[in-house]
Amino acid sequence: MTWRADREGGDTKTRKSRRTLELPKLAAEALRQHHTRQAVLKLKAGEAWQDHNLVFCTSVGTPLDASNVRRAFRKTTRRAGLGTTWSPRELRHSFVSIMSDQGVPIETIADLVGHAGTRAVYRHQLKPVITKGARTMNTIFGDSRHR
């Protein structure tokens, strides 16, 4: 499956943005299910459907605008119990952090996110921060068993 980083005007940001990425099985299955749901929407919309050959679109097939995407994303994060302060852009940062935490080399991470080099990869180590925070709170509350 090809994931293209389309920009206004139809082209990608760079030539390297045009690449094929393997999707995890869970993501591929979710996209298959989404495609089935979208076929139902297309039938319901009937004559109103405007086929733009999009994976993600409005209920009548038209492109989503940024505010629609942010609103849907906030709804999802709220349902997941994460609150509403997250933005879709943070998924990219989370991906980089998770890959780094799993020991994926920085060069591979840079390639996966489409960076030409490793300097611009924003990697945030999640596990050490979480562990340090818990240890600090244990110290503050005097629980010597968990230091």
Side-chain angles (χ1 to χ4, degrees):
M1 178 175 291
T2 303
W3 180 268
R4 289 183 42 217
D6 283 335
R7 299 171 63 79
E8 195 167 323
D11 204 359
T12 55
K13 184 176 177 183
T14 66
R15 285 187 182 270
K16 192 172 182 177
S17 294
R18 239 181 251 139
R19 61 196 189 282
T20 300
L21 300 174
E22 183 178 352
L23 289 176
K25 291 176 185 172
L26 188 63
E29 179 56 33
L31 284 171
R32 280 191 281 281
Q33 291 173 8
H34 173 73
H35 182 69
T36 301
R37 287 189 304 271
Q38 192 176 57
V40 171
L41 284 176
K42 186 175 181 178
L43 287 174
K44 281 183 182 178
E47 295 286 323
W49 185 265
Q50 298 176 37
D51 198 352
H52 291 268
N53 198 29
L54 298 170
V55 174
F56 299 102
C57 58
T58 67
S59 60
V60 293
T62 56
L64 294 167
D65 65 24
S67 62
N68 288 351
V69 173
R70 284 189 301 270
R71 185 173 36 257
F73 188 77
R74 281 193 304 267
K75 186 177 177 182
T76 300
T77 59
R78 183 176 52 249
R79 278 196 220 143
L82 299 173
T84 58
T85 59
W86 289 75
S87 70
R89 179 86 177 144
E90 289 171 301
L91 291 175
R92 187 173 170 88
H93 291 252
S94 296
F95 173 80
V96 168
S97 297
I98 291 166
M99 292 292 107
S100 178
D101 193 49
Q102 292 299 308
V104 175
I106 191 74
E107 295 81 10
T108 302
I109 296 170
D111 191 43
L112 288 169
V113 297
H115 287 195
T118 59
R119 291 191 57 165
V121 176
Y122 28 71
R123 161 167 82 163
H124 309 289
Q125 291 293 332
L126 299 177
K127 190 182 278 184
V129 172
I130 293 170
T131 302
K132 185 176 180 183
R135 287 183 184 156
T136 301
M137 294 306 287
N138 287 335
T139 302
I140 291 169
F141 292 114
D143 187 351
S144 62
R145 296 173 297 162
H146 300 288
R147 288 188 188 174

